Amino acid sequence: MISNIFKPKKQQLIQEGQQNITLGKLVKFSHYETIFKYSFFAVLFVISLYSLDVIQFQQFLKEKNLRRFDWSDLKWMIIGLIMIHITKEINRYLVFDYVSKSLDQKYIGLDRQLRVQKIIKWIYDTLYYSVATIFAYIVFRDEKWFPTELGGSNFTETMYDFPNMPDNPWVPFYYMIQASSHVHALLLLMVYGTKIELKYWEYLLHHFLAVSLLYFSTIYNCESIGIVVLVLHDISDIFLAYGRTYADIGKNKILVYVSFSAIQISWLYTRVYVFPIKIYDIIVNHPGFSLYWENTKHALYNQVGLMIVLFGMHIYWTIFMVKVGIGIFSAGKYKNVYDNRENKLDNKKEN
């Protein structure tokens, strides 16, 4: 019943991002969904061109007797999918009542229901990314491909020992568990996203890029790239998930500002500073690619290309963060201009 009441308004909001694009509107990001929709299909088309190359690359690894992914380790992804689903349901059961009671009263109706679900997800994300980051740091910090910027103690180059698969026994386990998390998120979005998500194409592109990077980095023995990208994202996602949660259920404004500051610092450092450094390092320092250039060049193009598209999304999100920051530190008021694109369903102005 509630969904029927809000459906016309929701459709209107979705259509806001589906109109003809002008340069002025593009600069103002008023038609973001159209941009992300076209970007998604462009990325999908480009990566489809790698279908034959991934087969040839696997044959190359076999001929050269190089270390490669053992497909029996896919069992960890299956186990991960099951465990992630179970732990998410447990998390939902434990925090649902608390979130429902604590959520800011400005959210009403369908908007409130959707917000509760998002906060429950963010609470889970905070815990998951924290555990994943700590685990990765403990087991990978001494690897020659683990960045000094993230606490690595023995960094040489991101593509160290390529085209061999990284020689660390924890790589398959960590990689498949992380893959299960991103595949789970992508599947949920594809099944339920069109019904409740106003930023559907934006999130679809992001999750699709993540899954594509995981898949191709596994096929191309570029797990070192994948792990670095995962850790970079997970660090900032800890603060992002927690900060967005506390902004809506927290009572202390000072802690809201502290949380937002932590988001800004971690985000700018990992995604805007370190991430492009790693892209540059892969492009410039790749002796493994040079040694077998004809066999591995498409792996380089694939990984760098996907990372550049992902970095473009980082810049897009950074613009919204800057806008939120200006609101906080100039007006002394938290107004999330990014998340609140969803919160127009109740037709209320923010206080």
Side-chain angles (χ1 to χ4, degrees), residues 18-179:
Q18 307 296 332
Q19 309 299 321
N20 294 329
I21 300 175
T22 65
L23 180 60
K25 292 175 180 177
L26 181 63
V27 172
K28 294 179 180 179
F29 298 95
S30 60
H31 293 279
Y32 53 90
E33 276 295 88
T34 299
I35 299 169
F36 286 120
K37 181 178 181 179
Y38 292 151
S39 299
F40 169 78
F41 285 111
V43 171
L44 181 62
F45 171 74
V46 172
I47 66 173
S48 68
L49 301 178
Y50 284 86
S51 301
L52 178 60
D53 188 69
V54 296
I55 297 174
Q56 295 174 339
F57 188 84
Q58 286 295 303
Q59 292 174 342
F60 156 73
L61 294 177
K62 186 176 181 180
E63 291 171 1
K64 297 295 183 180
N65 197 28
L66 297 168
R67 285 194 309 273
R68 56 189 176 132
F69 182 76
D70 184 349
W71 292 101
S72 66
D73 285 324
L74 277 175
K75 64 179 181 289
W76 293 119
M77 187 169 75
I78 297 173
I79 293 172
L81 283 168
I82 296 172
M83 293 304 299
I84 285 173
H85 182 74
I86 292 174
T87 52
K88 281 190 173 183
E89 289 302 314
I90 293 174
N91 174 71
R92 184 187 306 276
Y93 175 78
L94 293 176
V95 305
F96 180 84
D97 289 341
Y98 170 74
V99 172
S100 298
K101 295 176 182 178
S102 304
L103 181 60
D104 195 310
Q105 294 302 313
K106 69 184 178 184
Y107 299 105
I108 62 173
L110 177 61
D111 195 21
R112 186 175 186 85
Q113 296 176 34
L114 297 178
R115 200 62 172 183
V116 167
Q117 297 304 318
K118 284 188 174 293
I119 292 175
I120 291 172
K121 174 186 178 298
W122 293 337
I123 291 174
Y124 181 88
D125 288 347
T126 302
L127 297 173
Y128 174 83
Y129 293 133
S130 297
V131 172
T133 300
I134 293 171
F135 179 85
Y137 177 75
I138 292 174
V139 300
F140 299 133
R141 62 182 174 181
D142 294 328
E143 295 295 331
K144 293 185 178 180
W145 42 262
F146 196 80
T148 305
E149 295 89 346
L150 300 181
S153 61
N154 199 26
F155 178 77
T156 301
E157 61 190 43
T158 305
M159 294 304 299
Y160 178 80
D161 201 27
F162 180 85
N164 280 295
M165 178 182 177
D167 188 19
N168 184 305
W170 286 108
V171 168
F173 171 79
Y174 172 82
Y175 223 63
M176 289 299 99
I177 295 298
Q178 286 279 45

Side-chain angles (χ1 to χ4, degrees), residues 165-210:
M165 178 182 177
D167 188 19
N168 184 305
W170 286 108
V171 168
F173 171 79
Y174 172 82
Y175 223 63
M176 289 299 99
I177 295 298
Q178 286 279 45
S180 66
S181 174
H182 287 281
V183 169
H184 188 272
L186 178 61
L187 291 175
L188 284 181
L189 180 66
M190 293 175 68
V191 173
Y192 300 108
T194 55
K195 300 176 182 178
I196 65 173
E197 186 56 72
L198 297 182
K199 296 194 288 283
Y200 174 76
W201 289 104
E202 177 180 337
Y203 290 153
L204 182 63
L205 176 60
H206 177 239
H207 289 310
F208 183 72
L209 283 172

